C-alpha cells in the first residue's frame, strides 16, 4: 500500500462515510487537476462528473482563476470583517445584488452552506421577534429536503440517514410532503403543481406559527436530483406573501448556472426573502457562502446599539478576500464566455445522449434533466418504479466499477447523476455518458448483483 494511503487511513476520518469501506476501496489521493480531470498520485486520471461535490464551475486549476488568486494573495489574504472590509468583498456584494432577483439588496457573508442556512433561519426568526410576532417560531421544509448538517440546518432536512439519530436534538420543524414528479399520481403532461395542495393546507392551518418556508428551488439535490415545476415556486411565493411568511431559497447547489439559469428561482421569476448561496460561488476553490436578503429585513435590525436589535451572528472567515476575489473572477468568466447560454446547449447534449443510452438499457426507470444536471434513476421494475433495497448499494457498486474506468460518479442510492464542470467538451461528455452506462451494464452482469438478488 502506498504510504499516503496508509497514513490517510491511520489519521483521517472522512465525511459521509463508513470508514470500514475505505479498507476495501482505498482513498484516492489526488495530486493534480486540470479541467474536468483529476490525476491521482499513480498518474491515473478520472473525469470529475460531479464537480467535486457540486462546487466546481470552470474546471480544476483554471488558469484565469489561478491568476486572480495569485494577484490577490500579494495584496491581502484575509482581514477581520467586523469594522473592516476589503475591495473584493465590496465589489462582489455589489455584483451579487445586481445579478440576483430584484428584492435582494443586502449581502451577509459566511464560509459554508450549512452556516448560510443557519443564518437565514436565525434572521427570519429574529425579524419576527423584533416585530412582536412572538408566535412565529417554526420553519416549514419539504420531504426529502437537504439543507446541510449543523443542528439548525439538519432540523430542516429530511434525509433519514442524516436525521434520524439526532432527532432529540433538533428543532420542531413542520414537514410537508413535497413534489415527486417521477412517482406523481396526477397527470404529468399537464402539471399545475397540484402537489402544492399539501403546502397550502399546512400554511392555512399553521400560518400564525410559521416564520419561514425553506426549499431547494427546482431541484432537490440530495433527494436524488428530484426536479419539479416552477409553478410550485410561483404558488409558494404567492402564499408566503399572503400569510406574511418568509421564503428562504436554498440555492447552495443550484445557484450559479447549474440549472441552465443563473439562479434556479429565475425559472419561476420569483424573488425570495432570503437566498442562500455557496458551492459554485467560489468556483469550487474555497469555502464561502452568502445569505442575501431584502431591505425590509435589513431595516428591521437597524437602530441604535442600545436598542439591542443587531444581528450578532459571526464567522471568523466572513468576507475572506481570497474567496471573494475568486468569486469575482468566476462571475467575470461567466459573462465574458457566455457560460449560461453554453450550459443550456451542453445540458441538452448530455440529456440527449443519456436518453439514447437509457432507451437501450433494461434498468433505467427515468432520466431527468435540467440545465447541467442530468440524473438516471435505476429501478428493479419499470412498471411499479420499485427501486433496489438500500442494503444492495446498487449505486455504490456501480460507482466502484466506474472508478476503475476513470469516472467519478457519486450516486445517491439508486440515482446516478452528471453534474460536471461547465467547461466539459463534447468528447468528454461522450466518454462520461458511455462509461457510465458500461458500468451499469457490467454491474448487472456481475456476481455481486447475482449474489444479492
Ligand atoms: C451542500 C448543500 C448544503 C450544505 O453546504 P455545506 O457547505 O456542505 O455545509 C446546504 N444545502 C444544499 C442544497 C446543499 O447542496
Amino acid at each position: 500500500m502506498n504510504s499516503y494511503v496508509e497514513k490517510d487511513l491511520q489519521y483521517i476520518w472522512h465525511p459521509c462515510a463508513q470508514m470500514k469501506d475505505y479498507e476495501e476501496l482505498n482513498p484516492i489521493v489526488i495530486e493534480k487537476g486540470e479541467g474536468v480531470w483529476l490525476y491521482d498520485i499513480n498518474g491515473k486520471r478520472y473525469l470529475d462528473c460531479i464537480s467535486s461535490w457540486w462546487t466546481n464551475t470552470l474546471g480544476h486549476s483554471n488558469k484565469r482563476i489561478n491568476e486572480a488568486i495569485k494577484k490577490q494573495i500579494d495584496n491581502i489574504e484575509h482581514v477581520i470583517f467586523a469594522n473592516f472590509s476589503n475591495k473584493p468583498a465590496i465589489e462582489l456584494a455589489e455584483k451579487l445584488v445586481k445579478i440576483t432577483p430584484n428584492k435582494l439588496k443586502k449581502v451577509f457573508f459566511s464560509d459554508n452552506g450549512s452556516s448560510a442556512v443557519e443564518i437565514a433561519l436565525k434572521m427570519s426568526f429574529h425579524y419576527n421577534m423584533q416585530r412582536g410576532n412572538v408566535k412565529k417560531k417554526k420553519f416549514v421544509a419539504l420531504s426529502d429536503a437537504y439543507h446541510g448538517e449543523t443542528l439548525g440546518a439538519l432540523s430542516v432536512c429530511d434525509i433519514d440517514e442524516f436525521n434520524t439519530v439526532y432527532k432529540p436534538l433538533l428543532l420542531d420543524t413542520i414537514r410537508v410532503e413535497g413534489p415527486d414528479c417521477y412517482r406523481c399520481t396526477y397527470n404529468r403532461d399537464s402539471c399545475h403543481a397540484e402537489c402544492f395542495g399539501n403546502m397550502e393546507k399546512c400554511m392555512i392551518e399553521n400560518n400564525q406559527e410559521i416564520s419561514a418556508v425553506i426549499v431547494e428551488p427546482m431541484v432537490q439535490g440530495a433527494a436524488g436530483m428530484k426536479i419539479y415545476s416552477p409553478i410550485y415556486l410561483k404558488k409558494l411565493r404567492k402564499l408566503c406573501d399572503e400569510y406574511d411568511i418568509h421564503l428562504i431559497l436554498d440555492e447552495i447547489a443550484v445557484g450559479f448556472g447549474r440549472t441552465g439559469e443563473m439562479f434556479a428561482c429565475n425559472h419561476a421569476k420569483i424573488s425570495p426573502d432570503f437566498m442562500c448561496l455557496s458551492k459554485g460561488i467560489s468556483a469550487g476553490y474555497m469555502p464561502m457562502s452568502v445569505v442575501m436578503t431584502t431591505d425590509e429585513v435589513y431595516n428591521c435590525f437597524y437602530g441604535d446599539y442600545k436598542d439591542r436589535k443587531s444581528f450578532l451572528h459571526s464567522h471568523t472567515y466572513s468576507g475572506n478576500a481570497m474567496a471573494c476575489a475568486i468569486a469575482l473572477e468566476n462571475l467575470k468568466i461567466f459573462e465574458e464566455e457566455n457560460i449560461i447560454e453554453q450550459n443550456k446547449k451542453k445540458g441538452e447534449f448530455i440529456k440527449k445522449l443519456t436518453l439514447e443510452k437509457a432507451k437501450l438499457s433494461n434498468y433505467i426507470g427515468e432520466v431527468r434533466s435540467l440545465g447541467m444536471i442530468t440524473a438516471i434513476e435505476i429501478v428493479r421494475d419499470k412498471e411499479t418504479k420499485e427501486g433496489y433495497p438500500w442494503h444492495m448499494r446498487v449505486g455504490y457498486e456501480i460507482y466502484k466499477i466506474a472508478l476503475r474506468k476513470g469516472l467519478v460518479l457519486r450516486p445517491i442510492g439508486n440515482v446516478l447523476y452528471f453534474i460536471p464542470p461547465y467547461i466539459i467538451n463534447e468528447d468528454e461528455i461522450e466518454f462520461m455518458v458511455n462509461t457510465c452506462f458500461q458500468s451499469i451494464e457490467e454491474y448487472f452482469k456481475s456476481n455481486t448483483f447475482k449474489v444479492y438478488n
Side-chain angles (χ1 to χ4, degrees):
M1 204 185 286
N2 180 294
S3 71
Y4 278 106
V5 172
E6 227 166 79
K7 286 184 189 170
D8 180 293
L9 291 173
Q10 186 177 352
Y11 297 115
I12 297 180
W13 191 345
H14 286 268
C16 206
Q18 169 49 258
M19 289 309 298
K20 187 160 187 271
D21 284 345
Y22 280 56
E23 289 162 20
E24 184 218 343
L25 176 62
N26 290 163
I28 297 160
V29 185
I30 296 298
E31 188 159 46
K32 192 175 139 60
E34 198 179 0
V36 297
W37 298 99
L38 297 168
Y39 295 82
D40 73 11
I41 45 176
N42 303 313
K44 181 172 163 67
R45 72 172 192 171
Y46 303 86
L47 198 158
D48 187 357
C49 307
I50 56 157
S51 295
S52 288
W53 253 347
W54 321 351
T55 57
N56 193 290
T57 51
L58 301 169
H60 294 281
S61 203
N62 179 292
K63 289 221 161 49
R64 281 188 60 179
I65 294 181
N66 291 1
E67 283 308 314
I69 297 172
K70 288 173 196 163
K71 221 169 122 194
Q72 183 58 40
I73 205 165
D74 283 332
N75 290 329
I76 177 73
E77 72 301 323
H78 179 71
V79 58
I80 179 173
F81 209 55
N83 228 107
F84 285 77
S85 199
N86 63 74
K87 282 187 193 168
I90 295 164
E91 285 171 26
L92 178 62
E94 180 184 28
K95 184 89 201 161
L96 288 173
V97 169
K98 270 200 192 121
I99 63 174
T100 49
N102 54 12
K103 276 174 61 177
L104 301 171
K105 302 287 190 209
K106 299 288 178 191
V107 182
F108 193 96
F109 284 94
S110 186
D111 52 21
N112 67 80
S114 304
S115 295
V117 170
E118 300 280 342
I119 289 162
L121 297 175
K122 281 177 72 178
M123 272 184 181
S124 170
F125 168 81
H126 198 158
Y127 168 95
N128 278 312
M129 292 306 109
Q130 318 225 95
R131 301 287 291 294
N133 300 330
V134 291
K135 286 206 310 214
K136 284 191 174 281
K137 287 193 276 206
K138 287 203 178 161
F139 301 106
V140 176
L142 295 179
S143 51
D144 291 344
Y146 183 84
H147 298 291
E149 287 162 72
T150 51
L151 291 175
L154 194 60
S155 298
V156 285
C157 276
D158 182 37
I159 307 270
D160 274 352
E161 271 181 285
F162 304 147
N163 279 65
T164 309
V165 69
Y166 303 106
K167 278 257 159 72
L169 301 181
L170 303 182
L171 302 172
D172 181 17
T173 299
I174 304 175
R175 189 83 45 212
V176 169
E177 192 63 34
D180 189 354
C181 300
Y182 177 39
R183 293 179 173 81
C184 182
T185 50
Y186 296 97
N187 181 359
R188 284 185 68 190
D189 298 326
S190 62
C191 168
H192 299 286
E194 285 84 354
C195 56
F196 186 76
N198 299 324
M199 180 65 83
E200 189 167 13
K201 183 164 175 285
C202 164
M203 284 165 102
I204 290 170
E205 286 170 4
N206 305 294
N207 63 77
Q208 301 281 332
E209 292 190 295
I210 301 172
S211 183
V213 177
I214 180 166
V215 299
E216 297 157 84
M218 298 304 293
V219 186
Q220 290 190 295
M225 304 299 152
K226 280 166 71 181
I227 298 166
Y228 61 92
S229 163
I231 301 171
Y232 193 96
L233 294 172
K234 283 198 178 107
K235 289 185 175 181
L236 182 58
R237 176 68 275 180
K238 190 159 169 281
L239 225 59
C240 282
D241 285 339
E242 257 170 53
Y243 288 118
D244 198 16
I245 291 170
H246 286 140
L247 176 58
I248 303 172
L249 292 185
D250 177 349
E251 292 246 7
I252 291 166
V254 290
F256 299 97
R258 187 49 74 185
T259 66
E261 294 284 340
M262 188 55 130
F263 300 102
C265 65
N266 296 1
H267 289 279
K269 302 189 171 60
I270 59 161
S271 193
D273 302 291
F274 299 93
M275 188 188 231
C276 302
L277 298 169
S278 186
K279 293 204 164 97
I281 192 172
S282 42
Y285 269 69
M286 275 184 74
M288 152 124 178
S289 69
V290 303
V291 177
M292 302 197 48
T293 192
T294 60
D295 277 335
E296 193 191 346
V297 171
Y298 177 84
N299 290 335
C300 181
F301 289 80
Y302 182 89
D304 288 323
Y305 192 79
K306 64 174 170 31
D307 298 341
R308 293 183 167 269
K309 283 175 140 191
S310 324
F311 189 65
L312 296 178
H313 188 107
S314 54
H315 287 287
T316 311
Y317 277 100
S318 303
N320 176 265
M322 301 271 291
C324 291
I326 292 166
L328 273 172
E329 188 68 11
N330 189 28
L331 287 172
K332 209 162 155 202
I333 299 172
F334 269 56
E335 270 168 24
E336 289 174 14
E337 300 188 6
N338 217 353
I339 295 290
I340 301 292
E341 284 314 304
Q342 274 195 48
N343 279 1
K344 288 181 183 157
K345 287 187 203 133
K346 281 187 192 177
E348 281 303 314
F349 184 58
I350 296 172
K351 179 181 170 185
K352 180 174 147 271
L353 282 189
T354 308
L355 280 167
E356 279 170 20
K357 289 279 173 191
K359 249 189 226 147
L360 303 173
S361 170
N362 292 321
Y363 312 109
I364 313 300
E366 184 184 56
V367 172
R368 42 184 179 262
S369 169
L370 186 67
M372 288 296 273
I373 301 175
T374 300
I376 305 163
E377 181 156 345
I378 292 175
V379 291
R380 179 175 226 157
D381 183 331
K382 290 191 191 189
E383 282 297 311
T384 64
K385 303 179 181 175
E386 182 202 355
Y388 288 97
W390 66 273
H391 67 264
M392 282 179 67
R393 307 185 78 186
V394 170
Y396 183 68
E397 295 298 333
I398 294 169
Y399 164 68
K400 287 194 290 187
I401 297 168
L403 272 178
R404 289 201 290 275
K405 298 178 188 293
L407 219 58
V408 185
L409 298 166
R410 197 184 153 86
I412 300 167
N414 293 318
V415 178
L416 307 168
Y417 60 87
F418 306 124
I419 298 196
Y422 304 155
I423 46 85
I424 191 169
N425 66 31
E426 286 201 3
D427 288 345
E428 290 159 345
I429 289 173
E430 281 176 6
F431 175 78
M432 173 175 81
V433 177
N434 291 340
T435 309
C436 175
F437 277 91
Q438 280 163 16
S439 306
I440 295 171
E441 297 301 315
E442 204 166 295
Y443 168 69
F444 284 105
K445 290 193 184 85
S446 73
N447 286 331
T448 323
F449 174 68
K450 284 173 193 147
V451 167
Y452 271 126
N453 211 34

